[in-house]
Amino acid sequence: MSRTLLSTSLLRRSLNPTPITKATIYNHRTTMSTATSNKITTLDTSLTPRLPASSPTLFEAKALKSLSFESLATSLNRSEVAVAALFYGQATASPEDIEKLSSVLDIPKEKLESQLQGFPDRGRSIDMPPREPLIYRLFEIVQNYGYAYKAVLNEKFGDGIMSAIAFSTKVEKEVDKEGNKWAVITLRGKW
């Protein structure tokens, strides 16, 4: 689907009354669920030219169902980050993933098979340095602490590198005694 058609489709849904099972558009990247006040991530259409054909397909179905990555992760029995990586074309979908996504998102299995089979084209969706503020901040963390991480990792494990293939990651939310929210990002890679 072209960027214009996707934007028009999302705009049309935001202007027309929709059943609770559909989403009302909050902005280009965030959807406000009509069933709850929780926001869900939708596709930033400026990224569409750099993403695989599966991304608009998956994100549009996700928005129509008002599903979070957390709920999709539960359905697929994968982590939230792993599911989001599938949506951005940064991970490989297994046949089981395709079957479950087809069922949960009501997308024809054949369409998902044709769009998700093959090898991911990792890293193409991001400019360097990143311009999106949160992604830039993650880049900045590695830029500022990269050599410190390297030094401590080398002391603990010896010479080598941490795998980004034999790898898992997760995002958690902590709230301290004062009510401040803290993001906890775990990176787990084979040495």
Side-chain angles (χ1 to χ4, degrees), residues 73-94:
T74 300
S75 296
L76 272 67
N77 198 26
R78 293 190 67 164
S79 75
E80 293 171 77
V81 177
V83 174
L86 287 173
F87 274 58
Y88 285 100
Q90 301 299 298
T92 303
S94 70

Side-chain angles (χ1 to χ4, degrees), residues 2-24:
S2 75
R3 186 181 332 171
T4 305
L5 286 176
L6 183 59
S7 297
T8 304
S9 173
L10 294 175
L11 179 60
R12 186 174 55 252
R13 273 187 246 129
S14 71
L15 296 176
N16 294 327
T18 56
I20 287 179
T21 59
K22 292 192 177 183
T24 303

Side-chain angles (χ1 to χ4, degrees), residues 16-109:
N16 294 327
T18 56
I20 287 179
T21 59
K22 292 192 177 183
T24 303
I25 299 306
Y26 183 73
N27 68 28
H28 288 292
R29 296 181 201 160
T30 307
T31 301
M32 182 73 74
S33 171
T34 55
T36 69
S37 62
N38 295 333
K39 296 177 183 176
I40 63 169
T41 305
T42 58
L43 182 61
D44 175 351
T45 57
S46 70
L47 296 176
T48 303
R50 296 183 299 205
L51 295 174
S54 59
S55 293
T57 300
L58 292 167
F59 274 104
E60 185 168 333
K62 178 182 181 292
L64 283 171
K65 297 262 186 184
S66 296
L67 295 173
S68 66
F69 282 120
E70 181 180 24
S71 64
L72 288 167
T74 300
S75 296
L76 272 67
N77 198 26
R78 293 190 67 164
S79 75
E80 293 171 77
V81 177
V83 174
L86 287 173
F87 274 58
Y88 285 100
Q90 301 299 298
T92 303
S94 70
E96 294 80 21
D97 293 331
I98 293 170
E99 184 77 40
K100 290 175 184 176
L101 284 168
S102 172
S103 175
V104 171
L105 297 174
D106 292 327
I107 300 171
K109 182 180 171 188

